[in-house]
Amino acid sequence: MLTAVLIGTSCSLLGSFLILRKSVMIGDAISHSVLPGIVLAFIFTEERAALPILIGAAVFGVLTTMFIQFLQRKSNVQEGAAIGISFTFFFALGVIMIALSTGGNVDIDQDCVLFGEIASTYLDKIFVNGYFVGTRSILTIAPVLLIVILFVVFGMKGLRLTSFNEDYAKALGINVNAWNYALLMLVSITAVLSFEAVGAVLVVGFLTIPPASAYLITNNLSKMLWLSVVFTLLSAVGGTLLALTLDVTISGMIVSVAGILFLLTWSGKIIMTKSKKIEKLSEV
Amino acid sequence: MISLEAHNLTVAYDKVPVLWDIDFELPTGKIIGIIGPNGSGKTTLLKTIMGLIKPASGYVKVFEQDLDEVRQRVAYVPQRESVDWDFPASVQDVVEMGRYRKNSLFRRLTQTDKEIVANAIEKVKLTAFKDRQISQLSGGQQQRVFIARALAQGADIFFMDEPFVGVDATTETAILDLLTTMRDEGKTVVIVHHDLQTVSGYFDHLVLLNTRVIACGPTAEVLTQENLSNAYGGQLTLLSKIQSIIKEKEFPIREKGFEKR
């Protein structure tokens, strides 16, 4: 559950900016196309060491984005198509690489990549001097979350500016590309970590649903970030508990809860605006 | 002193030239209009000046220096439609962006910054709205937010892309008053504008554009029927007669074969 909370928080903070940049699907693309990076790192190091895998993923995340932009600029395909081409292509490469390099008997298997299995992450415990310090996944995610939080807190001005008005940022002489790639690299890293927990498909849920719910009900960027974290907490905790009670998949339940929360927020907002209108009418 | 100069500037999208051999010099302390028909490359010219588009050839200098050396003195006001006004930000937030600097992005705004921001908001008469979310503003108010942001930069030259499009009469007068004050303080304002009717009232100096520079100079000198006809061609019915006369005299309106491409 802690794993889900940590991953979800990273995802929702980064996802907020993806939503504001209208590039959520890039997050989707990245979450899939980091796979070859992971596999390559795995082949070279022959273990599931965290650092090489993260680097491999970050590299492929950025590669994907560059590839998408390159396709758009040079071949005139529209953004949606460019994204579709790049991420399915990279993901397929990754799947083939898994099959070729390992002959099938590995730690990385395709089901896990797609759907993840959060329930098993707690089995992988790390002991220091005989004391239990946490599970492997929590220990990898915590520093990444810290980096994400620092990035968002200190980079707030840059992120706000480049997300709102890229041309203006460029006109101020700000290196817009550096900001974009920094954001997308963090998305890639977070996506890899989320692989184990929720899998490639559900990462997008984490990246999108909580920030989207928050976006509906606030007009302030910092509030939006806070609220999306709150939504993440609610869905992670609620989803895990529900899943345990009903004995179903945890990651699926978490994202379902997030989705239900989104629908609730949305209908709540509709009702609120309607009642406000009625109030105004009755005042007149 | 020359505020802005472009020499031998050519910009092309997909090998189709949008700007061709642009060459002009503009004075300081004037309100300058860049006018021309739709698709004549006005916005492209502005974006090229701001370094957002790379020219195929030629160069631009601001205050006789490269843009990168004088960025602090240059403010850009993009077209209002170019951003998403549903972005969660208040008037204050957006105007504060005018104080963002390349080298101080990670620092907090100082007290001086805040005063400059408040002052800029006051100048565009939006103080009462400063905490309002930007999507809840009218088109004219949104335009004034953009101008306030440019003012907050404390620049010497301002580039504005169609600031009078879709704004109410109040805003139009407010912007014009502001521009006049700015000019009187010695600032240079370069405005992309498409409404011919208001041109003579607004600008001191004009660049008449249609892929090439048709004319450049003080408004009265540029705004001749011959120049307008050259720039607008058949688009101005009133001038169609003159146009036909010019055609008879085989005055080259455009390069031959230009329209066939």
Side-chain angles (χ1 to χ4, degrees), chain B residues 99-193:
Chain B
R99 297 307 299 167
Y100 290 9
R101 291 290 177 273
K102 196 180 172 182
N103 304 321
S104 67
L105 261 189
F106 295 99
R107 262 176 262 149
R108 283 169 175 275
L109 292 179
T110 63
Q111 199 54 43
T112 332
D113 286 331
K114 296 242 156 110
E115 278 162 26
I116 293 170
V117 167
N119 200 347
I121 297 178
E122 178 66 41
K123 273 189 184 157
V124 296
K125 302 189 179 73
L126 283 177
T127 308
F129 299 93
K130 74 178 167 61
D131 294 320
R132 200 164 293 179
Q133 209 267 325
I134 50 173
S135 66
Q136 290 159 4
L137 299 173
S138 73
Q141 289 165 336
Q142 291 176 345
Q143 190 63 58
R144 281 186 272 159
V145 171
F146 262 12
I147 291 177
R149 182 175 67 174
L151 286 177
Q153 256 183 270
D156 292 321
I157 185 165
F158 294 78
F159 294 100
M160 306 189 179
D161 201 346
E162 299 277 12
F164 298 108
V165 164
V167 305
D168 47 287
T170 337
T171 302
E172 192 160 333
T173 350
I175 294 179
L176 271 179
D177 287 349
L178 198 63
L179 295 182
T180 321
T181 328
M182 283 156 67
R183 177 189 55 194
D184 296 343
E185 287 167 1
K187 315 273 188 193
T188 311
V189 190
V190 180
I191 293 176
V192 163
H193 191 67

Side-chain angles (χ1 to χ4, degrees), chain A residues 227-251:
Chain A
L227 277 171
S228 64
V229 172
V230 171
F231 277 115
T232 309
L233 291 181
L234 287 177
S235 3
V237 175
T240 316
L241 294 179
L242 264 178
L244 292 178
T245 332
L246 301 173
D247 195 23
V248 288
T249 149
I250 295 178
S251 48

Side-chain angles (χ1 to χ4, degrees), chain B residues 29-86:
Chain B
K30 292 278 191 315
I31 302 177
I32 300 155
I34 298 179
I35 57 169
N38 288 335
S40 57
K42 303 186 293 283
T43 297
T44 308
L45 176 59
L46 211 59
K47 287 192 169 172
T48 314
I49 295 170
M50 292 312 300
L52 304 176
I53 297 175
K54 269 204 173 149
S57 78
Y59 64 96
V60 175
K61 287 203 175 212
V62 183
F63 297 123
E64 292 167 12
Q65 280 172 303
D66 283 339
L67 179 67
D68 277 326
E69 288 162 38
V70 286
R71 282 215 192 256
Q72 303 294 329
R73 299 175 63 193
V74 183
Y76 173 53
V77 182
Q79 268 180 33
R80 187 163 54 85
E81 292 83 13
S82 67
V83 303
D84 173 19
W85 288 93
D86 284 330

Side-chain angles (χ1 to χ4, degrees), chain B residues 17 20 211-212 252-261:
Chain B
W20 186 260
T211 307
R212 302 154 161 277
I253 294 175
R254 297 186 184 117
E255 240 178 355
K256 273 176 190 154
F258 179 78
E259 275 169 322
K260 284 179 193 157
R261 202 188 42 236

Side-chain angles (χ1 to χ4, degrees), chain B residues 145-259:
Chain B
V145 171
F146 262 12
I147 291 177
R149 182 175 67 174
L151 286 177
Q153 256 183 270
D156 292 321
I157 185 165
F158 294 78
F159 294 100
M160 306 189 179
D161 201 346
E162 299 277 12
F164 298 108
V165 164
V167 305
D168 47 287
T170 337
T171 302
E172 192 160 333
T173 350
I175 294 179
L176 271 179
D177 287 349
L178 198 63
L179 295 182
T180 321
T181 328
M182 283 156 67
R183 177 189 55 194
D184 296 343
E185 287 167 1
K187 315 273 188 193
T188 311
V189 190
V190 180
I191 293 176
V192 163
H193 191 67
H194 77 283
D195 183 9
L196 267 186
Q197 288 181 337
T198 48
V199 162
S200 52
Y202 287 180
F203 305 113
D204 309 320
H205 204 92
L206 284 182
V207 178
L208 186 57
L209 197 70
N210 192 348
T211 307
R212 302 154 161 277
V213 174
I214 307 290
C216 174
T219 305
E221 289 173 26
V222 170
L223 226 49
T224 64
Q225 296 208 316
E226 187 187 329
N227 280 338
L228 287 177
S229 166
N230 279 344
Y232 285 81
Q235 288 180 34
L236 292 181
T237 44
L238 268 176
L239 294 166
S240 54
K241 270 188 185 173
I242 299 166
Q243 197 198 6
S244 61
I245 295 171
I246 292 169
K247 260 186 188 164
E248 277 168 21
K249 289 184 180 171
E250 287 195 329
F251 189 89
I253 294 175
R254 297 186 184 117
E255 240 178 355
K256 273 176 190 154
F258 179 78
E259 275 169 322

Side-chain angles (χ1 to χ4, degrees), chain A:
Chain A
M1 189 156 80
L2 190 57
T3 316
V5 168
L6 293 177
I7 291 176
T9 312
S10 292
C11 280
S12 61
L13 287 175
L14 297 171
S16 297
F17 289 102
L18 290 182
I19 287 204
L20 293 175
R21 287 158 178 257
K22 308 193 188 315
S23 51
V24 174
M25 291 327 280
I26 293 222
D28 186 13
I30 285 180
S31 68
H32 285 73
S33 53
V34 288
L35 186 59
I38 300 175
V39 181
L40 274 183
F42 184 76
I43 292 172
F44 281 121
T45 59
E46 298 197 332
E47 54 181 327
R48 278 169 59 188
L51 199 61
I53 288 188
L54 291 188
I55 295 170
V59 168
F60 266 84
V62 172
L63 265 181
T64 317
T65 345
M66 286 162 110
F67 190 58
I68 292 171
Q69 285 171 351
F70 177 78
L71 275 183
Q72 258 181 285
R73 214 175 306 138
K74 297 288 172 194
S75 74
N76 266 336
V77 276
Q78 38 172 304
E79 190 184 12
I83 290 176
I85 294 168
S86 340
F87 91 82
T88 46
F89 175 61
F90 278 118
F91 191 71
L93 271 187
V95 172
I96 291 172
M97 277 157 71
I98 291 180
L100 282 184
S101 64
T102 58
N105 63 11
V106 246
D107 261 1
I108 319 182
D109 73 294
Q110 292 164 20
D111 273 355
C112 174
V113 161
L114 278 174
F115 304 113
E117 200 35 81
I118 201 163
S120 61
T121 54
Y122 80 97
L123 296 173
D124 202 349
K125 289 172 183 158
I126 286 178
F127 294 88
V128 174
N129 297 333
Y131 292 102
F132 172 65
V133 285
T135 67
R136 199 179 61 83
S137 57
I138 288 177
L139 288 180
T140 6
I141 292 159
V144 172
L145 175 61
L146 191 70
I147 294 173
V148 170
I149 291 176
L150 288 177
F151 178 66
V152 170
V153 170
F154 286 99
M156 188 63 155
K157 280 162 75 183
L159 285 170
R160 187 205 299 260
L161 180 59
T162 49
S163 307
F164 175 59
N165 198 340
E166 204 177 278
D167 275 358
Y168 183 73
K170 276 188 207 157
L172 283 179
I174 287 161
N175 191 341
V176 176
N177 279 337
W179 283 96
N180 288 346
Y181 287 133
L183 177 67
L184 294 171
M185 259 165 77
L186 281 177
V187 172
S188 331
I189 293 174
T190 314
V192 181
L193 294 174
S194 323
F195 257 45
E196 290 186 274
V198 292
V201 180
L202 298 184
V203 183
V204 191
F206 264 156
L207 277 173
T208 337
I209 306 177
S213 320
Y215 177 73
L216 284 181
I217 52 174
T218 180
N219 289 327
N220 177 303
L221 185 54
S222 340
K223 276 188 200 149
M224 176 175 163
L225 294 172
W226 280 113
L227 277 171
S228 64
V229 172
V230 171
F231 277 115
T232 309
L233 291 181
L234 287 177
S235 3
V237 175
T240 316
L241 294 179
L242 264 178
L244 292 178
T245 332
L246 301 173
D247 195 23
V248 288
T249 149
I250 295 178
S251 48
M253 204 61 203
I254 292 176
V255 177
S256 309
V257 170
I260 292 166
L261 280 177
F262 173 80
L263 291 177
L264 284 179
T265 323
W266 187 29
S267 33
K269 191 192 173 191
I270 293 173
I271 294 167
M272 288 278 280
T273 28
K274 278 212 174 133
S275 64
K276 262 187 202 163
K277 267 183 197 157
I278 293 167
E279 266 173 42
K280 270 188 191 163
L281 284 176
S282 55
E283 274 169 24
V284 176

